[in-house]
Amino acid sequence: MVTGYKQEYVYKHPWERVTSASWRKFADDENKRILSHILEVDMLNHNLDPSNGILRTTRAITVHCPGPWFVRKIVGQDMCQCVESTLVDAQNRSMQLISRNISLQKFIEVQEMTRYDPHPDNPAGWTLCRQETSIRIKPFSALASMAEKVEKRCAERFLQNSGKSKEVMERICKYLEAEATGLSL
Amino acid sequence: MNEKKASSKYSSSTSPCSHLRDAYNNCFNRWYSEKFMKGHWDKQECVDEWQKYRACLSQHLDDKLLSRFLEAEQIDQRHLSTSSND
C-alpha cells in the first residue's frame, strides 16, 4: 500500500524571504507552540560550495507522532526520527528538501519532497512551493492488516501539520518583510 | 523503567546542546538572509559556533542513530543533485 498526495502553495513573498523563513520555522518559541509535534531539530552537516553558491545541509528531526492506541501498542513508541536533506542553489534560486523517517522503518516509510521556486507569473515577488508526500506501510509488518486505515490517518495528520506549517511560514515572512522595510526607512 | 529510559533518550537527547544550537542557528539564519541570499557565498561563516555545537552533538547523539542519519544523508543528497540538474 502507498498513499500519496501532492500540494502546491503560493507565497506572495520573494523566494529569498520564503526560504529564509523555511530555516527559521522551527526556531522561535511562538512557532514551537504551534508546531508542537516537532520536538527537536539539529543540524548534522552543512556544506557550502563557494565556487557556485550551492549550500547542502542535513538536519535530524525528532517528531512526536501519537497514533491511535492500537498502533501505539504495536509500534511501542510515539517518537520518530527523521532526516531532512536540503539543497539551496542561490544562483538559480531553487531550494529542495527531502525528509523521511529513519526510525520505525520496519513499519512505515514516509517521504516528503519539497521545492521552493520563484513563481513563473511573478518570479521577483512570489514563490511557488510544491510538495509531494508518500506514506507506505510495510507489507509484512504488524501494521499491514490495517495499512489502509493507518496510512489514511497518517495522511490526515500530515495535512493538518502542513497547514500549521504554512501559517508559521506566512507569519515569519511578514516579520522578515517588516524588518526589511524598517531597515530601509 | 524501560519506558522511562526510552522516552528520555528520544525526547531530550540533544537538549544539553540547546544553547550552542541557538547560537549557531542565530548565526546561520543571519548569514543566510543577509549574506548568502545577497550573493555573498565566497566563504562559510559561523565556523566557531558550528564547531562548538557539533562537538556537543557528537557527545550526546547516539552513535548508531548518527550513522543511520549519515547513511540516509548520502542517498538523499545524491537524489537532490540529480533533480537539480534536470
Side-chain angles (χ1 to χ4, degrees), chain A residues 42 44 46 56 58 102, chain B residues 14 24 53-54 68 73 77:
Chain A
D42 279 298
L44 294 179
H46 68 184
R56 288 172 182 275
T58 303
I102 59 156
Chain B
T14 59
Y24 169 75
Y53 171 40
R54 215 194 136 97
R68 269 160 74 198
E73 168 188 43
Q77 284 290 357

Side-chain angles (χ1 to χ4, degrees), chain A residues 1-6 107-112 132-139 143-144 146-155:
Chain A
M1 284 296 307
V2 183
T3 302
Y5 57 90
K6 287 184 185 183
F107 299 109
I108 189 168
E109 284 176 350
V110 179
Q111 181 172 295
E112 192 176 71
E132 261 184 75
T133 309
S134 73
I135 301 162
R136 178 171 174 260
I137 296 290
K138 286 295 188 67
L143 293 178
M146 44 185 145
E148 211 173 333
K149 207 183 202 172
V150 175
E151 283 172 6
K152 203 171 152 251
R153 284 257 203 149
C154 214

Side-chain angles (χ1 to χ4, degrees), chain A residues 19-70:
Chain A
T19 61
S20 296
S22 162
W23 289 112
R24 290 166 196 237
K25 180 160 78 169
F26 303 131
D28 89 43
D29 285 333
E30 200 178 341
N31 302 335
K32 274 184 194 160
R33 270 199 303 277
I34 301 171
L35 303 176
S36 57
H37 60 292
I38 306 290
L39 299 176
E40 205 118 43
V41 181
D42 279 298
M43 187 73 94
L44 294 179
N45 253 330
H46 68 184
N47 189 302
L48 171 70
D49 187 336
S51 69
N52 57 11
I54 288 184
L55 173 71
R56 288 172 182 275
T57 68
T58 303
R59 299 200 294 185
I61 302 180
T62 308
V63 187
H64 183 225
C65 45
W69 66 270
F70 53 89

Side-chain angles (χ1 to χ4, degrees), chain A residues 95-106:
Chain A
M95 182 188 210
Q96 304 169 56
L97 304 99
I98 299 181
S99 316
R100 61 187 172 98
N101 63 305
I102 59 156
S103 68
L104 309 183
Q105 269 176 318
K106 62 178 177 176

